[in-house]
Amino acid sequence: MDGAADEVVGMLVEERGLSPTKIKPSSRLVQDLGMDGDDAVDFFVSLQERFGTDLSALYERWSDHFGPEGFSGWNGVVIIPAAVAGGVAASLLDLGELTGIAITVGLLALWVWAMKTWGHPNKMQPITVAEVIAAVEAGVWPSRY
């Protein structure tokens, strides 16, 4: 890699807390590196400040690539039923409050595992590290839409 590529990888290492050997040009920001929502916003703001890259085209289509900042509506759709199911199961089986909490936590852990395995319900277009490096080198995010 060269200067810009090394700097971008360095920023990703710092942002994600990963070893540089884990970050490849083909690594996808959301799917492979887990960068979504607020983390993605912070990374691209830092990228723009550091390199002066015009990211207007990316920002216009942001939701095609990244989930919402903060709390996702999909999480609410899962958290509430998981809490209800945990409480009902513990109540019906007379298992106690702590067991209901444990069932809820288990259901939420299953949701997190499913999202990491199969991705978000609304599949997003991936952005690779190589695409970020190319945009930095070009000084502008490509209008590929």
Side-chain angles (χ1 to χ4, degrees), residues 72-93:
S72 168
W74 282 106
N75 291 330
V77 168
V78 172
I79 290 171
I80 294 168
V84 170
V88 168
S91 176
L92 290 176
L93 300 172

Side-chain angles (χ1 to χ4, degrees), residues 24-80:
K24 309 285 184 224
S26 61
S27 297
R28 300 166 300 171
L29 299 184
V30 173
Q31 296 84 352
D32 301 325
L33 303 181
M35 181 183 292
D36 204 5
D38 292 336
D39 293 340
V41 170
D42 294 343
F43 172 74
F44 280 101
V45 166
S46 295
L47 188 87
Q48 191 169 26
E49 289 173 356
R50 186 171 193 165
F51 298 104
T53 306
D54 178 2
L55 300 175
S56 301
L58 172 62
Y59 293 144
E60 288 173 10
R61 303 295 297 231
W62 186 263
S63 62
D64 292 348
H65 304 286
F66 299 103
E69 294 182 42
F71 186 79
S72 168
W74 282 106
N75 291 330
V77 168
V78 172
I79 290 171
I80 294 168

Side-chain angles (χ1 to χ4, degrees), residues 99-112:
T99 304
I101 293 170
I103 291 169
T104 300
V105 169
L107 290 170
L108 294 175
L110 181 63
W111 171 253
V112 169

